[in-house]
């Protein structure tokens, strides 16, 4: 489908920003909305991307529909919602269901009622693997359950006049103006204070640079088939290779050690109990994470998906080299070491 005008919910965030830049590069007009608190902090944001201010989660349906009717948009990109780093009050499923399922369905339905024809929702590759395992991951990880529920919820809006697709996103590297990468606080901080870095043996993950995510989102918006979830990846890597590369590029000289998953799970159970005592619950159960995810190879073959989305015709490659992106990301995480 030819696109002339798109709206991105979350266009000033990490993924939305690069997606906006990719649309703009293709001479597709882009508008977005930022939270009011960002009003005086977006001097770096490209001036050729339309920018308004408001909180879609707090706006009424009528206000959202009015906003989305302004410019006769061809497509709506939903890049909002918490990720698995958030640790809400227990039960976590209530928080994630509200933020990821109910709100995404409500706001995407507003896009439908505003006359927009195409919708791409940014999701998680955990939903892909949860479906492959018949919901087994969702039994133990509220975040994953909510991501799978989110896909079902937004697909229920699809009809002959409204196409809905989901981009299932893996580990993402890259940097952006005025923002510190989340990797230091959300992943690398788990190893703070350790003399060695420990990780379960045998696992691996799909990954991509943020420029590749932007290409996938644009390709899905143009060529995606309605009610389809597209797993996203540039390449696959074992956790051992990934973490050792991250350590090397961040000038971390500690030894890396692999342990059986059940031993890692024993240590993680203490974390789960500590969080529980605070009345909180993580979106990913740390103990089950060791034995269900981080010791497994969550790999994705990108080639058939790129072919279906017509990457070659669009001139897309899947983004910049991931290893180069990891190096750049680590330098941004630890600028004091360089």
């Amino acid at each position: 489908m030819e696109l002339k005008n798109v709206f991105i919910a979350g266009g000033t965030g990490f993924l939305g920003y690069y997606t906006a830049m990719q649309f703009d590069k293709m001479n597709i007009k882009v508008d977005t909305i930022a939270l009011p608190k960002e009003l005086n902090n977006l001097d770096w944001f490209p001036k050729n991307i339309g920018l308004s201010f408001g909180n879609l989660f707090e706006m009424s349906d009528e206000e959202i529909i009015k906003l989305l009717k302004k410019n006769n948009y061809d497509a709506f990109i939903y890049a909002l919602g918490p990720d698995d780093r958030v640790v809400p009050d227990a039960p976590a499923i209530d928080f994630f269901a509200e933020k990821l399922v109910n709100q995404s369905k409500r706001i995407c339905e507003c896009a439908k009622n505003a006359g927009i024809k195409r919708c791409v929702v940014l999701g998680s590759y955990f939903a892909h693997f949860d479906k492959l395992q018949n919901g087994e991951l969702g039994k133990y990880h509220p975040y994953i359950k909510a991501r799978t529920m989110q896909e079902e919820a937004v697909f229920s809006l699809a009809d002959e006049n409204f196409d809905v697709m989901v981009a299932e996103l893996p580990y993402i590297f890259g940097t952006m103006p005025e923002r510190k990468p989340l990797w230091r606080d959300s992943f690398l901080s788990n190893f703070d204070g350790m003399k060695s870095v420990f990780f379960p043996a045998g696992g691996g993950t799909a990954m991509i640079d943020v420029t590749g995510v932007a290409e996938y989102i644009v390709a899905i918006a143009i060529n995606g088939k309605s009610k389809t979830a597209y797993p996203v990846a540039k390449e696959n890597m074992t956790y051992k290779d990934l973490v050792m590369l991250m350590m090397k590029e961040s000038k971390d000289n500690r030894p890396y050690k692999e342990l059986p998953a059940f031993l890692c799970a024993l240590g993680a159970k203490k974390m789960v109990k500590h969080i529980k005592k605070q009345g909180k619950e993580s979106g990913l159960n740390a103990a089950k994470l060791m034995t269900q995810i981080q010791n497994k190879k969550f790999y994705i073959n990108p080639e058939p998906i790129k072919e279906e989305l017509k990457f070659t015709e669009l001139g897309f490659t899947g983004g910049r080299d991931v290893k180069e992106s990891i190096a750049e990301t680590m330098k941004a995480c630890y600028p004091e070491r360089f």
Side-chain angles (χ1 to χ4, degrees), residues 16-301:
Y17 166 72
Y18 277 93
T19 303
M21 297 291 285
Q22 183 63 50
F23 276 121
D24 181 66
K25 183 179 177 181
M26 300 171 69
N27 296 315
I28 298 171
K29 189 178 184 305
V30 185
D31 289 335
T32 189
I33 188 168
L35 292 172
K37 66 180 182 181
E38 295 185 275
L39 182 61
N40 299 315
N41 300 315
L42 289 171
D43 293 340
W44 55 270
F45 197 71
K47 298 298 186 287
N48 51 325
I49 295 173
L51 182 60
S52 57
F53 292 89
N55 187 333
L56 292 176
F57 287 164
E58 297 176 356
M59 293 168 64
S60 69
D61 292 2
E62 291 75 17
E63 290 172 320
I64 297 172
I65 292 170
K66 183 179 178 181
L67 172 71
L68 297 179
K69 272 188 171 180
K70 282 196 310 183
N71 289 320
N72 194 31
Y73 298 110
D74 301 307
F76 177 74
I77 312 299
Y78 186 87
L80 297 175
D83 61 25
D84 56 76
R85 293 172 296 112
V86 178
V87 182
D89 292 338
I93 188 59
D94 291 351
F95 171 83
F96 287 111
E98 172 60 23
K99 296 296 185 181
L100 292 176
V101 185
N102 300 341
Q103 287 289 0
S104 63
K105 182 179 180 181
R106 180 182 79 90
I107 294 169
C108 290
E109 188 167 19
C110 289
K112 177 180 180 177
N113 292 333
I116 298 175
K117 301 298 184 185
R118 306 273 288 174
C119 175
V120 181
V121 176
L122 306 196
S124 169
Y125 84 148
F126 285 135
H128 171 71
F129 292 101
D130 188 41
K131 289 177 288 184
L132 289 179
Q133 297 182 34
N134 297 315
E136 190 65 22
L137 297 177
K139 291 179 182 179
Y140 303 98
H141 305 281
Y143 173 77
I144 298 178
K145 182 176 179 63
R147 283 297 192 184
T148 303
M149 291 168 58
Q150 180 187 42
E151 292 189 4
E152 296 170 353
V154 296
F155 285 159
S156 72
L157 300 173
D159 60 24
E160 65 274 11
N161 297 311
F162 190 61
D163 296 331
V164 184
M165 291 73 65
V166 172
E168 296 176 323
L169 306 178
Y171 280 21
I172 302 166
F173 293 92
T175 63
M176 71 176 290
E178 304 298 322
R179 305 281 174 90
K180 177 183 171 184
L182 300 173
W183 280 98
R184 179 168 179 170
D185 294 332
S186 65
F187 184 81
L188 298 169
S189 63
N190 293 326
F191 308 118
D192 287 351
M194 296 183 181
K195 293 182 179 180
S196 300
V197 172
F198 297 94
F199 219 82
T205 183
M207 62 193 69
I208 194 169
D209 175 71
V210 66
T211 56
V213 172
E215 288 187 354
Y216 269 97
I217 293 168
V218 172
I220 292 169
I222 296 172
N223 295 319
K225 180 182 177 182
S226 188
K227 300 181 73 171
T228 302
Y230 291 95
V232 169
K234 171 78 170 183
E235 66 177 86
N236 302 294
M237 192 181 297
T238 65
Y239 280 115
K240 179 179 181 180
D241 289 343
L242 171 60
V243 177
M244 289 184 69
L245 179 60
M246 294 169 73
M247 293 170 65
K248 174 187 173 184
E249 296 296 350
S250 61
K251 296 187 177 182
D252 186 334
N253 296 318
R254 289 177 293 175
Y256 177 93
K257 297 182 179 180
E258 288 190 317
L259 294 175
F262 78 91
L263 287 180
C264 294
L266 290 176
K269 283 181 179 178
K270 297 178 181 178
M271 186 188 308
V272 174
K273 289 180 180 179
H274 177 71
I275 292 172
K276 187 175 181 179
K277 285 181 180 179
Q278 298 176 326
K280 305 281 186 178
E281 183 183 13
S282 177
L284 297 178
N285 181 297
K288 290 292 185 179
L289 184 69
M290 302 300 166
T291 58
Q292 288 186 321
I293 296 173
Q294 291 188 332
N295 65 328
K296 303 292 192 298
K297 289 184 169 63
F298 278 20
Y299 287 175
I300 293 167
N301 178 8

